[in-house]
Amino acid sequence: MKRLGILTSGGDAPGMNAAIRAAVRTASAREIGMVGYIDGFAGFVAGEYLELDDRAVGNIIQRGGTFIGTSRCPEFLDAGVRAAAVHQMRAAGIGGLIVIGGDGSFRGARALEQEHGLPVAGIPGTIDNDVYGTDEAIGFHTAVNTAVLAIDHVRDTSESTGTMFFVEVMGRTSGAIALHTALAGGAAGVLVPEAHEDIAHLLDRLHTSIERGKRSHIVVVAEGDRAGGAFAVAELVGRQIDHPFRVIVLGHIQRGGRPTARDRIVASVSGALAVEGLAAGRSGFMIGMQGGRAVEVPLSDVVAGAHPEPEYGLLQLAQTLSG
Ligand code: F6P
């Protein structure tokens, strides 16, 4: 294999740049060229790419986002569009593809392998950390740290003024950010999409801690929580509790920023191993982190597997420790 392509797809996640850098430099050490498709599968379909050599990926390991751009590309669901893209790619002498993204992006990659025999590898990159087969998708660690920092700031004013805060974090279908943020941020409560939260139970805990004289109260709500996000939860709870409250939506702040050391390390290892696997002639795998070790997970398992469940033990612990 003389030349590979790489793209980032779906929501961006801090550490994607570090993964691209590692893939490019690992390929270069093996005298394999690399191109970066612009804006994910959209660039793949249009045949728009950048030539990436060692210097092209200098000074990006510390940068959030993805310097080659990303998008969601509905046209890619069309088999004819995929066939034309592969034809164009092969004509340019590009013999394999690395896709950094979530399971929707891996479905696209797998279709290319199944329909056209194209060698493909996946690297999980999504702040939601909801990809089957990995404990740590790139970006999750950074997003949680960003949310925890925000909560630390909010807690100062909560303690000073006695205001209760409902903080909405990202996660349309995944409570991973909410759960980890709540535990690390010492939240009084946490609501996630996967579990039915008993508002009465949350109210009880809030009443008890107010009676005990606690002044700072932070409730973390995942955007996809069944009650309808932080504004809806604040309305439900605020109506039944005689306490001043405010709502904060952290939103896309969580998607950007400097990746943590952990995300850079996971990204670097994953980028390198994706290239090594393809160079060794393997295909149809994702580099996952399992128990702290990087492993190749078949993409067929990844796309068939259920989204990982939240760690309910952590949910209970966050509640027990909320005071
Ligand atoms: O990247 C994942 C994610 O951040 C989800 O948590 C969120 O629901 C979604 O992306 C938002 O994406 P968009 O910016 O495309 O609306």
Side-chain angles (χ1 to χ4, degrees):
M1 190 173 294
K2 287 276 156 268
R3 221 166 166 223
L4 285 172
I6 192 164
L7 59 82
T8 46
S9 173
D12 57 335
M16 283 180 162
N17 282 327
I20 298 167
R21 169 183 177 271
V24 168
R25 291 191 174 166
T26 304
S28 157
R30 293 174 167 275
E31 301 192 343
I32 297 171
M34 182 80 83
V35 305
Y37 285 103
I38 295 166
D39 293 341
F41 284 111
F44 183 69
V45 167
E48 287 173 0
Y49 54 78
L50 300 168
E51 295 288 344
L52 300 179
D53 61 12
D54 285 355
R55 283 297 86 225
V57 292
N59 198 24
I60 62 168
I61 192 169
Q62 78 284 15
R63 280 169 48 195
T66 161
F67 86 109
I68 53 177
T70 186
S71 65
R72 305 192 195 273
C73 178
E75 305 99 278
F76 206 68
L77 295 173
D78 182 319
V81 168
R82 291 196 293 271
V86 171
H87 181 74
Q88 188 165 233
M89 173 193 202
R90 287 191 167 134
I94 303 162
L97 184 67
I98 298 174
V99 172
I100 309 176
D103 53 4
S105 314
F106 298 153
R107 265 186 206 102
R110 202 166 128 68
L112 297 176
E113 186 192 40
Q114 287 181 317
E115 294 164 0
H116 305 285
L118 188 77
V120 295
I123 298 176
T126 162
I127 64 165
D128 290 344
N129 205 29
D130 59 353
V131 177
Y132 178 89
T134 189
D135 303 336
E136 300 173 79
I138 295 168
F140 173 62
H141 205 263
T142 307
V144 170
N145 275 347
T146 301
V148 169
L149 181 65
I151 284 183
D152 290 348
H153 288 198
V154 167
R155 185 181 294 286
D156 289 344
T157 187
S158 180
E159 183 72 27
S160 309
T161 63
T163 306
M164 183 179 294
F165 283 90
F166 294 87
V167 181
E168 184 175 300
V169 297
M170 272 191 161
R172 208 174 278 156
T173 56
S174 164
I177 295 178
L179 191 50
H180 287 248
T181 298
L183 189 57
V190 54
L191 286 85
V192 296
E194 300 90 337
H196 180 68
E197 172 66 20
D198 188 347
I199 295 282
H201 189 224
L202 174 63
L203 274 167
D204 268 0
R205 291 206 315 280
L206 291 173
H207 276 305
T208 308
S209 60
I210 290 167
E211 275 163 21
R212 283 190 195 145
K214 182 171 171 170
R215 282 175 65 82
S216 67
H217 297 90
I218 313 277
V219 177
V220 176
V221 184
E223 64 175 318
D225 170 68
R226 292 171 201 187
F231 279 100
V233 172
E235 270 302 305
L236 278 176
V237 173
R239 254 192 272 123
Q240 299 185 56
I241 215 165
D242 184 21
H243 205 82
F245 67 87
R246 293 288 180 100
V247 177
I248 297 176
V249 177
L250 297 183
H252 289 71
I253 288 171
Q254 298 155 94
R255 286 245 292 254
R258 293 159 63 91
T260 58
R262 181 65 190 163
D263 271 330
R264 297 182 203 191
I265 291 164
V266 170
S268 299
V269 169
S270 305
L273 290 184
V275 169
E276 280 174 9
L278 289 174
R282 295 190 293 280
S283 173
F285 61 87
M286 176 192 84
I287 304 297
M289 297 298 295
Q290 295 182 1
R293 293 176 64 85
V295 293
E296 286 185 7
V297 185
L299 277 180
S300 52
D301 291 356
V302 176
V303 301
H307 282 189
E309 284 283 298
E311 294 163 58
Y312 291 109
L314 291 188
L315 189 62
Q316 278 168 357
L317 185 60
Q319 289 176 350
T320 307
L321 301 184
S322 65

